Amino acid sequence: MTDRPPLTHVRSGTELRRWYWTLAELTELARTMGVPRGGGKLALIERLAAALDGTAAPEPPRRAGPARQLDPPVTVDTVIPAGQRCGQVLREFFRRQVGKEFVFDEFMRAFIRNGAGRTLGDAVSHWYDTRAEAARERPVAAQFEFNAFLRQWRRVHPRAGRAAALAAWQEHRSRPVEERPGPLRTNEPSTGEAC
């Protein structure tokens, strides 16, 4: 097994992509290299790889200016403004409407992100309409490699404790991509989006 080099010794995009790096490590490297740090982990890896290879880097996404956010009190008739975030005001509203089981899952984040002009009552209906689909297990997006690893590892080792799972993760992430076990390899492009 090859030892993971310090990130400061990585000299190519190919070598950068061979290893697992934390967002904090990548952000620090981007800062020292003068590479824009926004846009999420996968986008940051792509910009760093391009910089290391001397090729054109994709631009980080530009954020729109601050959008108006909802203030309490909100009701089922409150209209969702463009750019609304999944914050505490909405979480409290949905927990009053749905119950303690409410979470901002991918279905609700997408509804809020794309629901400008619709009401919070529509969002509550959307919550109930998507529960069957939300209960199905779906692939974990590539930027959440730790979560994907733990899900798969616990299937194989259902009785193992947290310490064993974390030790297995440390061993897994210390290997280059090509030496990791097949079903635990997660380097496919992400489809996940945050709200």
Side-chain angles (χ1 to χ4, degrees):
M1 178 169 74
T2 308
D3 289 334
R4 184 177 93 141
L7 186 52
T8 54
H9 291 122
V10 171
R11 299 287 180 242
S12 72
T14 300
E15 186 67 10
L16 179 75
R17 289 184 187 99
R18 285 185 72 211
W19 304 96
Y20 177 86
W21 308 103
T22 65
L23 181 57
E25 290 171 314
L26 295 168
T27 301
E28 178 58 23
L29 180 63
R31 187 189 63 73
T32 62
M33 291 178 66
V35 171
R37 299 182 296 265
K41 185 175 181 179
L42 295 179
L44 183 55
I45 289 170
E46 290 309 309
R47 283 194 304 281
L48 287 168
L52 288 167
D53 292 342
T55 61
E59 286 293 318
R62 302 233 182 257
R63 290 184 184 232
R68 184 180 79 80
Q69 299 295 301
L70 293 173
D71 291 318
V74 294
T75 70
V76 293
D77 296 319
T78 299
V79 175
I80 300 168
Q84 176 64 42
R85 292 186 302 271
C86 303
Q88 195 59 35
V89 170
L90 292 186
R91 181 173 287 106
E92 289 171 6
F93 167 79
F94 289 124
R95 289 211 170 138
R96 283 192 311 272
Q97 296 295 312
V98 171
K100 291 181 182 178
E101 68 272 13
F102 175 80
V103 293
F104 278 115
D105 59 18
E106 67 182 285
F107 300 102
M108 291 303 290
R109 288 191 309 268
F111 188 91
I112 298 300
R113 183 176 52 250
N114 303 319
R118 303 203 48 201
T119 68
L120 291 180
D122 295 333
V124 170
S125 295
H126 181 73
W127 165 263
Y128 288 113
D129 292 345
T130 58
R131 292 311 83 202
E133 180 64 22
R136 291 191 192 110
E137 189 173 290
R138 285 170 308 288
V140 177
Q143 74 265 29
F144 303 116
E145 184 176 356
F146 173 69
N147 300 39
F149 174 87
L150 284 183
R151 179 189 285 179
Q152 294 170 348
W153 191 85
R154 288 178 190 229
R155 275 194 202 112
V156 176
H157 308 280
R159 293 195 172 119
R162 177 176 168 77
L166 294 177
W169 164 247
Q170 290 301 323
E171 195 281 325
H172 173 80
R173 70 172 263 189
S174 71
R175 293 177 178 206
V177 171
E178 69 274 7
E179 293 180 16
R180 293 179 188 165
L184 298 179
R185 193 177 297 161
T186 56
N187 55 357
E188 294 80 27
S190 168
T191 58
E193 295 181 25
C195 180

